[in-house]
Amino acid sequence: VKVLTLIEAVTDALRTEMASDRSVIVFGEDVGLEGGVFRATAGLQKDFGEERCFDTPLSESGIVGAAVGMAVAGLRPVVEIQFSGFAFPAFNQIASHVARIRNRTRGAMCVPLVIRMPYGGGIRAPEHHSESLEALFGHIPGLKVVIPSTPHDAKGLLIAAMRDPDPVIYLEPARAYRAVRQEVPEEAYTVEIGTARVEAEGEELTLVSYGAQMMEARQARAALAAEGRSVELIDLRTIYPFDGRTVVDSVRKTGRLLAVHEGPQSFGVAAELMSTVMEQAFDRLEAPPARLAGPDAIYPMPRGERHYLLTVEHVLAEARKVLSYEP
Amino acid sequence: MVLSRQADEWAVSLNRQGRMPTYVLNMGQEANSIGALMAVRPDDWFVPAFRELGGMLVRGISLKQYYLYWYGNEWASHLPIEQYHMLPISVPVGSQVLHAVGIAWAERYRGSDRIALAFMGEGASSEGDFHEACNLAGVWKAAVVIYAQNNHWSISLPWSKQSASRTLAEKAFAYGFPGVRVDGNDIFAVYAAVRLAAERARSGQGPTLIEGLTYRLGAHTTSDDPTRYRTAEEVKQWEARDPLLRLERYLVRKNLLTDDEAAKIREQSLACARASFDEVEQAPDSLLEDAFQYLYRDMPDIMADQLERRKA
């Protein structure tokens, strides 16, 4: 056991799998010599050689498209897109090939590829560096999409993604990279993709979030606990295929749902969770399912970030509303 | 070559009868993919675009399986790697060239001397993925041969409006590897060019871009009417350079083929085309489950629920 930050856990997962599986190769822009702009791949080139961890030209579609070929041919590439906002040039490869080759070939071929990318705001970055694209990726059939919020899940989900026979979009909450520390086992372990995690049990409200937004959700739960309110906190962890059962089971117990995420509200993950709860726990609801999400707005540049991001006060206010709702 | 031609002609006729959906024609371009596939090893990777019927036949794909694709069934692309070493037909223009570069990288990483042969049309040279593929192939010295079939028309757009480059081949120079131009209607020229490029790739000298000058004698697809954008005179000129006629004349002159034999080959090929399509038409359609169970190795619960609801 060692104490790691979330980004150190990402590096640890890569290192662990590279050591045990020679088919794992890591590449992208500045990931080799430099170890990535956030240092997620720090030291890997030194330890595993330039053949297994290398820098590519500035070529997002090229990185993903070449990785498709490598994966079909039997390797397990893990590629980095420097920021999720730079993923758009690779969208054709992701949506047209990464997600479709198993189906297109009726299972004769698969694409065991992991596409890692930092996502989300709050890091005072220039334009295009703060996007939350999980709903976009989640809407592409054939992809799995995961987002860790803790170092333990970061390592376990990434190892699970690398061992998965199908492509996984692995979104890393940049704002939480160094904000969370946790004990993480030294050895390899997996966190099953498709499972949410009940982080803290409670009786009166189900609060669901994921990624960096979990930090505000935790603070809100603690503040409400101090007021004597009992909130169950769930980290969704997988965007697709999402674990509706865990959320529904929780809401059947609490009768109230609040889903919170940083990305745009319309057609977002919270909307899907609310629909699922309406379908499967309607008879137990004591308040309308609620959501708190980013606006349907373009993510502002740093001087305006605060107009977009959700604070603990936002979460608290909405949670109190749901808790106090009476028909 | 004759089978490819007869297969196209029969498919057009089937389309007019309402029995075949939109079908892509290879007519006039057969020598390109056939010559190329004959010049590489059977275990070299073949990465097609969507106008390489002849090459697919060389690789061992049956005409029935090929027809099944345009008939609209994904099972046509069930291509076990060990058996075929080829990717399925790729519709998004130019995107497949990158896959060939990655495959070549993977083969070299594993110490294999297999190369990858990718196809594209001249229109794909305007797509970003072509540029990214050539750039990566050059930087990585990838063991890849990129074969561009320049049939002069991207549906209705002529080469003069596609690119300000005089040739497609010269684009390779910017990426640091050779580009060559061959008469794509001369199967021997195609064979020689691909053979040389494949040897170059296999011996670690890197990629080659080959531009095969050819012409689409038919429509882009059965849904296209080429008389709207090109002249009868132009088509006539290229009909005189039909790769089938050229090969047939050569073989007859060399006493390797008689007119009777040629007629018999045409007859047998048409019979094969008819029989292949009859089998396709009689085969059962894909199943409801097929649409759900090949997205992931293990179907997610969400999809399993959706499947159950469809069944109900």
Side-chain angles (χ1 to χ4, degrees), chain B residues 58-295:
Chain B
V58 173
R59 191 39 72 102
I61 304 297
S62 68
L63 184 56
K64 177 190 166 191
Q65 192 168 350
Y66 182 78
Y67 271 159
L68 190 63
Y69 181 85
W70 296 107
Y71 194 61
N73 190 323
E74 286 88 346
W75 279 104
S77 297
H78 182 77
L79 303 164
I81 289 173
E82 288 309 311
Q83 194 178 346
Y84 295 111
H85 284 99
M86 69 173 280
L87 294 190
I89 284 174
S90 175
V91 175
V93 169
S95 60
Q96 71 281 358
V97 185
L98 277 165
H99 306 161
V101 175
I103 286 171
W105 194 98
E107 291 291 357
R108 184 170 59 199
Y109 177 76
R110 282 197 301 235
S112 141
D113 69 346
R114 281 189 199 117
I115 65 146
L117 167 63
F119 282 85
M120 55 180 269
E122 89 282 357
S125 70
S126 302
E127 293 280 1
D129 275 2
F130 166 73
H131 171 83
E132 298 199 26
C134 286
N135 191 52
L136 286 178
V139 170
W140 293 348
K141 273 198 155 210
V144 63
V145 178
I146 303 170
Y147 192 104
Q149 299 200 56
N150 183 351
N151 68 15
H152 294 80
W153 292 92
S154 302
I155 305 189
S156 65
L157 196 78
W159 176 252
S160 60
K161 289 181 180 169
Q162 188 72 251
S163 173
S165 302
R166 201 174 49 85
T167 70
L168 195 157
E170 71 197 55
K171 292 176 188 283
F173 307 148
Y175 306 108
F177 55 84
V180 298
R181 200 180 209 205
V182 293
D183 180 349
N185 284 10
D186 176 350
I187 193 166
F188 301 110
V190 171
Y191 180 89
V194 175
R195 188 70 189 257
L196 279 172
E199 278 166 17
R200 215 182 100 77
R202 209 181 306 283
S203 61
Q205 295 175 76
T208 305
L209 173 65
I210 299 174
E211 175 184 10
L213 275 182
T214 186
Y215 195 78
R216 162 162 62 72
L217 289 176
H220 164 66
T221 71
T222 47
S223 309
D224 170 45
D225 173 13
T227 63
R228 296 168 65 92
Y229 51 81
R230 61 187 195 186
T231 64
E233 292 73 48
E234 182 184 296
V235 178
K236 211 169 201 168
Q237 279 174 23
W238 281 97
E239 276 170 353
R241 287 178 257 175
D242 184 332
L244 259 75
L245 288 180
R246 285 169 68 178
L247 182 60
E248 192 179 317
R249 274 193 223 118
Y250 174 83
L251 293 172
V252 169
R253 212 166 52 234
K254 290 272 175 189
N255 292 320
L256 296 166
L257 182 78
T258 64
D259 288 343
D260 284 353
E261 283 167 344
K264 195 166 179 201
I265 290 170
R266 272 192 292 274
E267 204 176 291
Q268 285 170 342
S269 297
L270 180 59
C272 172
R274 286 172 176 267
S276 298
F277 189 77
D278 288 349
E279 277 188 66
V280 165
E281 226 173 12
Q282 281 152 26
D285 262 343
S286 52
L287 305 169
L288 170 63
E289 285 82 356
D290 285 354
F292 287 76
Q293 68 189 13
Y294 294 104
L295 279 93

Side-chain angles (χ1 to χ4, degrees), chain A residues 1 31 44 84 93-94 103 105 121 178 207 238 246 257-258 285:
Chain A
V1 179
V31 308
L44 298 180
S84 68
Q93 287 293 338
I94 294 172
N103 183 69
T105 62
R178 291 179 172 82
L207 179 59
T238 293
T246 294
L257 169 74
L258 173 60
L285 285 172

Side-chain angles (χ1 to χ4, degrees), chain A residues 22-25 27 51-52 54-75 89 92-93 96-97 99 101-109 140-144 165-167 240-243 245 279-280, chain B residues 45 69 73-81 86-96 98-103 105-110 129 132-133 135-136 139-140 286-287 290-298 300-303 305-306 309:
Chain A
R22 218 186 91 84
S23 67
V24 175
I25 51 167
F27 61 97
E51 200 185 19
R52 294 190 61 196
F54 56 93
D55 296 318
T56 66
L58 286 170
S59 188
E60 287 81 13
S61 187
I63 290 165
V64 174
V68 167
M70 295 174 188
V72 168
L75 299 184
N92 186 37
Q93 287 293 338
S96 301
H97 294 300
I101 283 182
R102 178 186 287 280
N103 183 69
R104 182 179 297 145
T105 62
R106 286 292 181 255
M109 295 172 201
I140 298 175
L143 297 180
K144 295 181 180 180
D166 291 304
Y240 195 89
F242 70 97
D243 182 0
R245 193 152 304 157
E279 284 171 345
Q280 298 177 32
Chain B
W45 282 83
Y69 181 85
N73 190 323
E74 286 88 346
W75 279 104
S77 297
H78 182 77
L79 303 164
I81 289 173
M86 69 173 280
L87 294 190
I89 284 174
S90 175
V91 175
V93 169
S95 60
Q96 71 281 358
L98 277 165
H99 306 161
V101 175
I103 286 171
W105 194 98
E107 291 291 357
R108 184 170 59 199
Y109 177 76
R110 282 197 301 235
D129 275 2
E132 298 199 26
N135 191 52
L136 286 178
V139 170
W140 293 348
S286 52
L287 305 169
D290 285 354
F292 287 76
Q293 68 189 13
Y294 294 104
L295 279 93
Y296 305 91
R297 186 190 62 189
D298 306 311
D301 291 345
I302 303 167
M303 290 190 70
D305 289 347
Q306 292 166 359
R309 284 170 71 168

Side-chain angles (χ1 to χ4, degrees), chain A residues 59-285:
Chain A
S59 188
E60 287 81 13
S61 187
I63 290 165
V64 174
V68 167
M70 295 174 188
V72 168
L75 299 184
R76 292 181 173 272
V78 182
V79 302
E80 176 177 302
I81 299 293
Q82 203 157 66
F83 289 88
S84 68
F86 302 167
F88 294 111
F91 246 71
N92 186 37
Q93 287 293 338
I94 294 172
S96 301
H97 294 300
V98 171
R100 296 173 75 121
I101 283 182
R102 178 186 287 280
N103 183 69
R104 182 179 297 145
T105 62
R106 286 292 181 255
M109 295 172 201
C110 60
V111 184
L113 164 65
V114 181
I115 305 177
R116 296 180 35 244
M117 47 186 117
Y119 87 100
I123 55 168
R124 297 169 172 274
E127 196 184 358
H128 305 294
H129 289 66
S130 302
E131 278 57 34
S132 291
L133 304 183
E134 67 274 16
L136 269 179
F137 289 120
H139 214 163
I140 298 175
L143 297 180
K144 295 181 180 180
V145 184
V146 301
I147 301 178
S149 81
T150 66
H152 186 277
D153 283 351
K155 180 172 178 179
L157 278 172
L158 185 49
I159 291 178
M162 286 189 273
R163 293 179 184 177
D164 201 287
D166 291 304
V168 180
I169 306 289
Y170 183 91
L171 296 169
E172 300 169 8
R175 186 163 64 91
Y177 263 156
R178 291 179 172 82
V180 200
R181 283 176 183 279
Q182 193 181 24
E183 286 192 345
V184 171
E186 305 254 0
E187 67 275 11
Y189 62 91
T190 58
V191 167
E192 193 185 340
I193 294 173
T195 63
R197 178 170 52 83
V198 179
E199 183 165 307
E201 291 190 7
E203 303 300 325
E204 298 175 275
L205 168 69
T206 299
L207 179 59
V208 187
S209 193
Y210 53 86
Q213 197 70 74
M214 279 296 290
M215 296 193 288
E216 287 72 33
R218 283 175 196 128
Q219 291 168 32
R221 182 181 181 277
L224 289 165
E227 296 167 13
R229 306 309 300 258
S230 171
V231 174
E232 182 144 304
L233 178 60
I234 295 178
D235 181 354
L236 195 63
R237 298 195 295 197
T238 293
I239 304 302
Y240 195 89
F242 70 97
D243 182 0
R245 193 152 304 157
T246 294
V247 176
V248 166
D249 285 349
S250 173
V251 174
R252 292 192 72 82
K253 178 176 72 174
T254 64
R256 293 168 203 262
L257 169 74
L258 173 60
V260 185
H261 57 67
E262 181 178 318
Q265 172 176 298
S266 297
F267 308 99
V269 174
E272 190 57 42
L273 294 177
M274 292 161 78
S275 301
T276 305
V277 161
M278 291 290 276
E279 284 171 345
Q280 298 177 32
F282 185 78
D283 56 325
R284 305 293 281 268
L285 285 172

